[in-house]
Amino acid sequence: MSAQDRPQPWRDADVHIPATGYVPQYTPPAWYQQRPQDAEPPIPWHSVAPQPVEPGCHVCGARPVAHAEIRAHTGLLFFGWSSSIGEPLCRQCGISLVRTMTTQTLCRGWWGLLSLLFHTPVALGENAAAYRKYRALPPPTPVPGRRPLHPGKPVLRRPLAYVALVPLVWAIVLISSIALR
């Protein structure tokens, strides 16, 4: 049996056969062609751009999120350093990180002259603005398998926040001793 005598299934299918010049034509089904008079024509699949997906919370993946800069500052006698988080966060994770980093700043941020005058007040102000931004968000929609951060106690109920009173008392004593001389 020669190659021409064997059955060739592609000859029976609707395919382009160069020797014959046959080109298959596609006719859409009737249900696709019938549409209401006021409907717009269907959009071809290749012309629809994918919609951008809003990123979820950096910690737990929940939505909606807000973008705010949360700062913590540690001041030392002659220098200091700051850390910040600027990722998108949901309400619960954002409030938790604001509380944690504000408490760290209140505890460790006042121990240098430049930190006392500039860096710590700026960090506390930015954290207050971030807190207001996260509080304005609705409760997050959780993502299965991921848990948000626990918000913990408010800042004024954490003992480390009151370490900030030490430099304040020191400044009052210093100013009053200078004033009494």
Side-chain angles (χ1 to χ4, degrees):
M1 184 186 261
S2 68
Q4 293 175 351
D5 295 335
R6 281 192 217 135
Q8 297 176 349
W10 64 83
R11 290 205 186 260
D12 298 332
D14 291 340
V15 293
H16 173 69
I17 302 173
T20 62
Y22 174 76
V23 178
Q25 298 294 323
Y26 175 74
T27 305
W31 61 266
Y32 185 79
Q33 292 178 342
Q34 296 172 355
R35 62 179 192 270
Q37 296 297 331
D38 58 343
E40 294 182 18
I43 300 173
W45 65 270
H46 54 80
S47 67
V48 178
Q51 298 297 321
V53 176
E54 176 187 352
C57 175
H58 184 70
V59 176
C60 68
R63 290 185 178 90
V65 296
H67 297 271
E69 193 79 19
I70 306 171
R71 296 188 182 277
H73 181 74
T74 300
L76 296 174
L77 194 57
F78 296 112
F79 64 94
W81 66 87
S82 294
S83 58
S84 65
I85 297 174
E87 304 294 332
L89 298 169
C90 67
R91 177 186 174 139
Q92 192 168 344
C93 294
I95 289 174
S96 175
L97 286 173
V98 165
R99 288 177 176 175
T100 301
M101 294 180 82
T102 300
T103 304
Q104 290 175 359
T105 301
L106 285 172
C107 179
R108 301 183 293 198
W110 305 99
W111 305 109
L113 183 60
L114 193 57
S115 297
L116 178 67
L117 298 176
F118 179 70
H119 292 294
T120 299
V122 167
L124 292 175
E126 287 186 5
N127 287 357
Y131 181 75
R132 285 190 300 274
K133 197 172 201 179
Y134 290 124
R135 288 288 295 187
L137 287 176
T141 304
V143 173
R146 296 177 73 179
R147 299 182 74 193
L149 297 176
H150 186 272
K153 296 179 182 177
V155 174
L156 296 179
R157 290 191 185 159
R158 298 176 185 211
L160 285 177
Y162 292 101
V163 175
L165 295 176
V166 174
L168 181 63
V169 170
W170 176 77
I172 291 171
V173 169
L174 182 66
I175 290 171
S176 62
S177 68
I178 291 173
L180 291 176
R181 285 190 180 197

